[in-house]
Structure formats: structure tokens, C-alpha cells
Amino acid sequence: MTDLERGKGRLAIRQTDMKAFKVGENVATSPGKVVYQNELIQLIQYAPTTAEVYALPLLIVPPWINKFYILDLKPENSFIQVATEQGYTVFVISWVNPDEHLTKLTFDDYMKLGPLAALDAIGKATGQRQASAIGYCIGGTLMAATLATWRRAATTGSRLYLLHSAGRLHRAGRARRVHRRGAARRRRRGDEQEGLSRR
């Protein structure tokens, strides 16, 4: 019954003890702060812990099916902590848990409200016109599509590193159908443009 109540009538089977982990205590222990948010994301900034700091900040785009702390589980296996200890200013996208209010969002919306909004916020927070990026799983696919589609992102992104990310979607099943629906909507609106010509 608890699983049905949590799912509001739909079966939401627990796969772990919901009380075993607490953000900031035994998971996601790296100190960070939210520097930007919109209806789809929060952008968390982690300060470097070194005297010398890399000029270019680092943006991490995780998959929206995972939490931001997939790369910051605890100190001994936290990629975020390793990066800050190497002198990087790290920014991580934290995706909201979508509900019925976000059902009409397209892949384009995820690009605009996700990586594009994050890159703009990073520029304002650091004064840097460019940032390196790491895309993880579908977050990497989203980041690669953003850089390939939007001129603003292409000139802002310095380097992109992909972790377990699909780049060729000709056999991607549902992801391909979602991308095609977004393209069809753009054609109907009459604002389809090729390559990096979009602003």
C-alpha cells in the first residue's frame, strides 16, 4: 500500500530503503550552492579547493533519470570532489522530478532550459565566456545535440567529454522518436534552420 500511496495510485516499487540516505550527510557530501534555477533545473556550483584554479569552469550534465549526486556519492568515490581538488570550478545540473506540468516539454526545451541556460548562468557567475563540459548517459546525448544545434552553445562550449552517451541515434528506439517529434514541431512552426545557424 505504501508503494501505491507514494505513486499516487500507480505502483511505485521501492528499490532501496528510503530513509537510509540523507543528502549532505551520507550522500552528496561535497559542499556546493545553487546559483541558478528554472522550471527544469537547479545549477549547483562547487568551488575549487586549491590555491591555483583553472580558468575554464567545468559543467557536468547528468542524465535526467539520475540525481546530480550520481557523481558525488561519498568522499571516497566522488568525481566532483576529485575535480575540485584538481582546481576546477564545477557546475552540475540537478534535474527536477517532472510531473504532469512538464509533460509538454520537448527535447528542444530540455536543451534550452538545461545546458543552454546553465552555460549562460555559468558565464554570469564566473565571467568566463567558455566552459568545458562532461555529459553522462542521456545528459551527454543532450549536451552533444545542444552543441551541434545551437550557435550560442557551440561558441560557449570549449571541450565536451562523453561518458556512456549515445551519439548515433539511428537505432535508438524511443529517443529517436522523441527527437523526430521535436523536429516535426519546428517544421510546423516554420523556424527550422540547419546546423549552427539557430540562435
Side-chain angles (χ1 to χ4, degrees):
M1 289 303 294
T2 302
D3 292 339
L4 283 171
E5 289 171 2
R6 188 175 61 258
K8 297 180 181 178
R10 298 180 65 187
L11 187 59
I13 299 174
R14 285 174 294 177
Q15 297 182 355
T16 188
D17 181 355
M18 303 297 283
K19 298 179 181 178
F21 302 99
K22 190 167 183 181
V23 173
E25 290 186 7
N26 56 4
V27 67
T29 55
S30 296
K33 61 180 180 180
V34 175
V35 294
Y36 171 81
Q37 67 180 26
N38 60 33
E39 64 182 302
L40 193 60
I41 70 165
Q42 286 186 327
L43 185 66
I44 306 170
Q45 179 178 352
Y46 300 86
T49 58
T50 55
E52 294 186 351
V53 177
Y54 283 99
L56 290 184
L58 175 64
L59 169 63
I60 299 176
V61 185
W64 50 80
I65 57 173
N66 288 124
K67 297 301 183 187
F68 69 94
Y69 46 77
I70 191 70
L71 298 176
D72 185 37
L73 294 176
K74 48 190 176 179
E76 54 267 32
N77 63 358
S78 169
F79 176 84
I80 291 172
Q81 180 170 315
V82 170
T84 57
E85 288 174 349
Q86 297 298 314
Y88 286 97
T89 303
V90 178
F91 293 84
V92 181
I93 288 178
S94 174
W95 302 98
V96 303
N97 289 324
D99 58 19
E100 63 275 8
H101 299 99
L102 300 178
T103 56
K104 293 186 178 180
L105 292 186
T106 65
F107 198 80
D108 271 1
D109 294 320
Y110 270 77
M111 286 193 282
K112 293 175 194 173
L113 296 172
L116 280 174
L119 288 169
D120 287 344
I122 290 170
K124 291 175 183 175
T126 65
Q128 290 290 335
R129 293 176 58 91
Q130 289 191 314
S132 297
I134 293 176
Y136 179 39
C137 192
I138 191 68
T141 305
L142 177 70
M143 191 66 203
T146 303
L147 290 174
T149 307
W150 294 85
R151 178 187 299 168
R152 190 164 91 232
T155 56
T156 305
S158 173
R159 295 177 183 89
L160 173 62
Y161 304 93
L162 301 176
L163 308 177
H164 300 285
S165 300
R168 298 181 65 189
L169 299 178
H170 66 286
R171 291 188 179 179
R174 183 167 175 77
R176 184 183 183 196
R177 291 195 298 273
V178 170
H179 180 68
R180 281 182 169 176
R181 282 199 299 269
R185 286 192 187 100
R186 289 194 302 273
R187 282 193 295 272
R188 285 196 298 271
R189 289 196 309 260
D191 62 354
E192 179 81 344
Q193 296 182 34
E194 294 296 326
L196 302 179
S197 63
R198 296 178 58 192
R199 297 180 183 272

